[in-house]
Amino acid sequence: MKEISISPKISKGELVRRLGARKGERLSRATKVKVEGLIDTLSEFLSPVIHYESRGLARITKSSIELKEGPVFRSPKIAKSLAGCTHVVCFIATIGQGLEHRVREKFEANRLSEAYILDALGSVLVEDLVQQFQEFIAKKCAIQGEYVTLRFSPGYCDWPLEEQRKLFSLFHPSRLKVRLSKSCLMVPRKSVSGIFGIARRDEGQHYSPYNPCTECSAKNCSARRAPCATTYAQ
Ligand code: SF4
């Protein structure tokens, strides 16, 4: 089990979206002042860390992938997305418990708008943490002539939330900064777990990771991804 710490950044656009603004809308001046004030204090509450483990891929069927020495993850969409992969990176990332304590304090002090903004900031930060982690691995892979697939998390797309237990079984619980509740939710809440595949690419060839959303008819799926902008080339 490996562990790295990366400083997550705040995407202002993503924060505005999470605060409920529609496309093209801006935050009011009063909200902006609150956001800036809260951002200034954030570093005191963050303890970002990513635990990860790379495993060989033993077998892929139409509906599952099997890692070397287990487990088997059941999801037809992941199986299709990871076709051709040699390895799977499994990860659990968190920005720690501090921000959640701060959110609770704000609620208890009836400072509801600040609590809401802080909570949204936590969501933006943990997403950025995972994005930066995947980019870090993708750069290392590119040097070795490999590329990474899109990432998937238990409870999204067609991957059952209960499979979170299998993912957590790959990590030593006493060294993890995240624990799993009986209902398979992560504590701290501002945590993200998931997997992505690593595949070899032929020299000079362009790759665009397979995106199952491009051929999925699910309506109102909050996890739908835009067609991949990322291509990998020599
Ligand atoms: S739209 Fe994408 S994320 Fe949503 S169910 Fe379909 S494939 Fe999965």
Side-chain angles (χ1 to χ4, degrees):
M1 169 170 142
K2 293 182 189 150
E3 188 177 302
I4 56 166
S5 183
I6 294 173
S7 292
K9 297 190 187 75
I10 297 161
S11 152
K12 294 269 168 78
E14 183 56 18
L15 177 63
V16 169
R17 190 185 70 76
R18 290 205 180 243
L19 289 174
R22 279 179 297 220
K23 214 176 175 186
E25 275 184 351
R26 292 185 177 186
L27 299 181
S28 69
R29 195 174 148 65
T31 306
K32 258 191 194 167
V33 170
K34 269 187 194 163
V35 168
E36 298 300 337
L38 290 167
I39 288 176
D40 282 347
T41 63
L42 266 183
S43 57
E44 298 166 35
F45 312 115
L46 302 181
S47 42
V49 65
I50 301 124
H51 307 282
Y52 67 103
E53 180 78 28
S54 176
R55 284 276 175 102
L57 190 49
R59 200 162 77 100
I60 300 189
T61 70
K62 272 194 160 176
S63 58
S64 67
I65 63 165
E66 180 179 349
L67 308 195
K68 284 186 181 155
E69 299 159 39
V72 175
F73 294 131
R74 304 196 183 282
S75 155
K77 286 182 176 164
I78 294 179
K80 191 164 179 183
S81 301
L82 268 59
C85 288
T86 56
H87 288 79
V88 177
V89 175
C90 305
F91 66 86
I92 300 172
T94 185
I95 58 166
Q97 194 87 61
L99 185 133
E100 276 169 59
H101 286 154
R102 193 77 183 126
V103 170
R104 203 172 312 127
E105 282 169 13
K106 295 279 183 193
F107 264 117
E108 284 164 8
N110 213 23
R111 303 179 82 110
L112 301 187
S113 62
E114 288 179 23
Y116 181 68
I117 293 169
L118 262 183
D119 191 74
L121 277 167
S123 301
V124 172
L125 286 164
V126 73
E127 278 302 325
D128 181 77
L129 179 64
V130 172
Q131 182 62 30
Q132 285 197 55
F133 166 65
Q134 191 174 10
E135 285 167 9
F136 163 75
I137 299 287
K139 276 187 195 151
K140 281 177 51 165
C141 287
I143 293 166
Q144 292 164 20
E146 295 168 326
Y147 69 100
V148 300
T149 67
L150 295 184
R151 60 176 184 268
F152 296 83
S153 293
Y156 290 89
C157 203
D158 63 350
W159 194 11
L161 180 62
E162 297 69 45
E163 299 242 322
Q164 189 83 274
R165 292 195 189 99
K166 294 181 186 173
L167 184 59
F168 269 68
S169 73
L170 294 166
F171 298 90
H172 206 290
S174 66
R175 286 165 57 200
L176 269 183
K177 302 283 190 319
V178 182
R179 70 176 175 82
L180 209 52
S181 73
K182 279 186 182 154
S183 51
C184 288
L185 297 178
M186 288 180 283
V187 183
R189 261 189 328 114
K190 298 303 178 189
S191 304
V192 174
S193 62
I195 63 168
F196 54 88
I198 296 178
R200 288 210 67 76
R201 61 176 163 78
D202 297 328
E203 230 171 79
Q205 286 204 345
H206 286 254
Y207 289 92
S208 187
Y210 170 69
N211 178 355
C213 304
T214 56
E215 48 189 47
C216 175
S217 58
K219 298 248 187 309
N220 305 320
C221 173
S222 62
R224 181 176 284 280
R225 301 182 228 223
C228 291
T230 318
T231 59
Y232 298 91
Q234 184 71 9

